[in-house]
Amino acid sequence: SSFSPLIFEDLPDGRRVFYSGTGCGHIVCLDARTGQPLWRFQMSYGGVNSGVVLHEDTIIAIHGKENVDATEIGRMVAIRKPTTLPGPGEDILLLGKESEKWRNNELEAFTSTPVYHKGRVYSTIKTGELLCLRADSGEIIWRLKLAPDQVHASPIWADGKLYVPMFDGKLFVVKDQGDEAVILDEVQLVGSCMAAPSVAHGRVFVQSKKRLY
């Protein structure tokens, strides 16, 4: 099974598709209206439980399991979208390494979903760090140690800042200063954080295992 949220996209040909990780280690693209599988790309031998983000002609995904073609555990990959998709009744496309625009083998995340803003990808990883990467190259711009580790919680972008809950229950408000990041505020919540915050009506809602803030 997979914990990742579905990311939808309307294509120029009028088709609506969605992207998701799977419990068998793939990123998949399906026709949202018919359910037809359009393409899949295998990242790992375990589940891809983080959501993906979109950047131009790529889908950027991360996982924390065994890689299919390397000894490292975990990886972030930018997968090029196929220029031609199968028609009704046609077989699914199987994408391979030739579809990778870039890969970064330094990153390992269990279910933390990256967040995208203006060509940058922000992600918390297993080691308790928040990283900022260039979406077009996978280059790490800055990294910020926030906690001893990170398991499930995800950052969110709101009001020009990152709101970053961590597994140990701390919530950080982080500002991207370009080449570095600065912590604007932090608060210790009651209970571990294992989800992404939500934003509505000028407020940020953060769920811990004990309370909703």
Side-chain angles (χ1 to χ4, degrees):
S1 64
S2 174
F3 301 97
S4 61
L6 303 180
I7 305 300
F8 288 81
E9 184 178 32
D10 292 313
L11 302 182
D13 65 2
R15 267 199 277 199
R16 184 166 174 79
V17 301
F18 70 82
Y19 308 95
S20 178
T22 70
C24 57
H26 290 79
I27 299 296
V28 296
C29 173
L30 280 78
D31 188 306
R33 295 187 176 92
T34 68
Q36 179 188 358
L38 301 175
W39 60 259
R40 62 182 170 92
F41 173 92
Q42 187 169 15
M43 290 185 69
S44 75
Y45 288 120
V48 179
N49 296 316
S50 301
V52 304
V53 294
L54 306 181
H55 173 66
E56 297 177 350
D57 64 340
T58 62
I59 292 94
I60 299 173
I62 190 171
H63 76 89
K65 300 293 185 178
E66 183 182 357
N67 285 301
V68 295
D69 59 358
T71 57
E72 298 95 352
I73 299 296
R75 173 184 294 165
M76 184 180 279
V77 173
I79 307 160
R80 290 189 183 89
K81 302 173 194 173
T83 54
T84 303
L85 293 175
E90 295 181 352
D91 290 340
I92 187 172
L93 297 177
L94 304 180
L95 307 186
K97 190 174 179 180
E98 71 283 351
S99 295
E100 291 184 17
K101 184 173 183 179
W102 55 259
R103 62 165 65 182
N104 189 313
N105 292 327
E106 296 184 52
L107 311 182
E108 180 181 354
F110 294 115
T111 57
S112 297
T113 293
V115 62
Y116 176 88
H117 183 73
K118 291 186 176 180
R120 293 189 169 198
V121 177
Y122 305 91
S123 183
T124 50
I125 60 173
K126 178 183 176 180
T127 56
E129 294 173 283
L130 173 68
L131 286 86
C132 171
L133 301 94
R134 299 187 191 282
D136 57 0
S137 68
E139 174 193 356
I140 296 174
I141 301 171
W142 52 255
R143 55 201 313 156
L144 188 63
K145 181 74 170 177
L146 297 179
D149 57 9
Q150 178 71 308
V151 182
H152 300 301
S154 304
I156 199 166
W157 181 279
D159 191 32
K161 296 176 283 291
L162 290 154
Y163 292 82
V164 192
M166 303 300 290
F167 182 65
D168 64 2
K170 277 195 174 181
L171 171 70
F172 294 87
V173 183
V174 177
K175 182 76 171 180
D176 183 352
Q177 300 279 56
D179 293 334
E180 61 180 5
V182 60
I183 297 172
L184 300 180
D185 199 6
E186 64 180 88
V187 59
Q188 180 68 57
L189 307 181
V190 176
S192 299
C193 293
M194 302 179 70
S198 298
V199 180
H201 304 291
R203 293 174 172 84
V204 176
F205 296 87
V206 183
Q207 178 72 59
S208 78
K209 291 184 71 176
K210 298 292 186 180
R211 298 176 184 173
L212 175 65
Y213 292 86

